[in-house]
Amino acid sequence: MGVFIRSDGCVEGSVLIGGSRVAFHNVYADATRADAYSRLDFPGTYFLAFRDLPEIIARHVAGQRAIDFGCGAGRSTRFLRRLGFDVVGVDISEDMVRKARELDPTGDYRLIGPGDFTGLAERASDLVLSAFTFDNIPQDEKAPHLLKLARLLAPAGRILNLVSTPEIYAHEWASFSTRDFPENLKARSGDVVRIVMTDVIDRRPVEDVVCTEATYRDLYRESGLDVLAAHEPLGRPDEPYAWVSETRVAPWRIDVLQRV
């Protein structure tokens, strides 16, 4: 199985659910969604995904060379640059890369094919950030991608894999809604789940591939990676957001990885 790019730029493939192949495509490879997503900064639930990253990076990463894997419209790439990194943003969505270049003409944004990291290996990166990208990679493609990312690291380099916890698809949030998708509650690792982003104009459901922490740990071992640290951020009562589930359930997990 593999992900492929259609003539209109959308990324498609299939996932295995209950022994059957189900069509799956990367919903972010879409001009309308790229435009909506490019207007997003770090509101609500997204704030928690990035709030603790500077401290985590300062603790675990030495050096300034970085790759933002699955950069989308460049939000996380610009975040890393503000932290002082010499960063390259890469994505398989032509619409997203185009939008990133429009928003940040001086940034380094590159369109890559699925699983094709040609031209990146020479960077010997100190940090590879993957912010939500593995939520959109089919299950049997996750380990091959992790293995290729590991090969991009400098000897002391780190991968920060920021992913959605399975719980995000089973609760209501400041920035997301899942109430219309009760089937999410029965989802297992590798299943497609649906969620609506409420901070953007485009309210079409996003399709992700759910993956538990235990499954990720297996994938990391398969890819020759060790988990140095794992962090699940929670909302705080004094923060300027109308938290819904965020103070008691972690929507995100940040895994800090090194090569074995």
Side-chain angles (χ1 to χ4, degrees):
M1 179 248 125
V3 176
F4 62 90
I5 302 179
R6 299 189 331 213
S7 60
D8 61 1
C10 288
V11 181
E12 288 193 342
S14 63
V15 293
L16 187 64
I17 299 179
S20 301
R21 285 288 176 189
V22 177
F24 175 80
H25 72 278
N26 185 343
V27 297
Y28 295 101
D30 173 284
T32 300
R33 201 180 296 272
D35 182 66
Y37 200 74
S38 70
R39 304 170 191 267
L40 195 64
D41 194 16
F42 304 103
T45 315
Y46 279 113
F47 168 76
L48 295 180
F50 289 85
R51 180 193 66 194
D52 302 331
L53 277 183
E55 180 182 350
I56 293 170
I57 289 172
R59 187 184 312 138
H60 293 285
V61 179
Q64 286 79 44
R65 296 176 72 84
I67 293 173
D68 184 13
F69 173 62
C71 66
R75 173 178 58 166
S76 47
T77 311
R78 297 188 293 273
F79 179 87
L80 289 178
R81 188 184 304 129
R82 289 194 292 270
L83 294 180
F85 283 94
D86 171 18
V87 56
V88 174
V90 301
D91 205 284
I92 62 174
S93 168
E94 184 175 356
D95 292 307
M96 285 291 190
V97 171
R98 182 185 303 114
K99 186 60 66 173
R101 290 169 177 167
E102 289 176 6
L103 294 170
D104 182 20
T106 63
D108 188 350
Y109 299 98
R110 306 181 189 180
L111 181 67
I112 61 172
D116 180 11
F117 301 159
T118 304
L120 295 176
E122 79 280 359
R123 289 187 59 84
S125 294
D126 304 301
L127 168 65
V128 173
L129 174 64
S130 173
F132 318 117
T133 308
F134 278 87
D135 292 346
N136 307 125
I137 294 178
Q139 198 70 7
D140 55 359
E141 293 290 326
K142 283 181 167 63
H145 278 77
L146 286 164
L147 181 61
K148 291 179 180 180
L149 291 180
R151 291 170 179 165
L152 300 178
L153 293 175
R158 302 288 184 260
I159 296 174
L160 263 62
N161 192 24
L162 167 54
V163 296
S164 299
T165 66
E167 287 73 25
I168 198 173
Y169 306 106
H171 296 272
E172 293 300 294
W173 308 90
S175 300
F176 303 98
S177 176
T178 64
R179 63 167 58 96
D180 292 333
F181 312 108
E183 64 275 13
N184 288 356
L185 298 174
K186 299 179 181 179
R188 299 179 179 181
S189 288
D191 287 350
V192 172
V193 285
R194 294 171 177 82
I195 190 168
V196 173
M197 301 165 60
T198 58
D199 287 322
V200 296
I201 297 174
D202 189 342
R203 297 297 179 87
R204 290 175 296 168
V206 171
E207 290 185 348
D208 288 344
V209 179
V210 71
C211 189
T212 66
E213 181 177 9
T215 301
Y216 266 117
R217 296 263 176 167
D218 291 339
L219 291 169
Y220 296 150
R221 284 191 290 270
E222 182 181 343
S223 307
L225 293 165
D226 277 338
V227 180
L228 284 176
H231 177 62
E232 294 189 351
L234 290 173
R236 300 166 186 158
D238 61 340
E239 290 170 329
Y241 299 102
W243 297 134
V244 180
S245 300
E246 287 86 350
T247 59
R248 55 188 177 82
V249 183
W252 319 110
R253 191 180 65 259
I254 304 166
D255 290 331
V256 182
L257 310 171
Q258 67 175 0
R259 289 190 300 186
V260 175

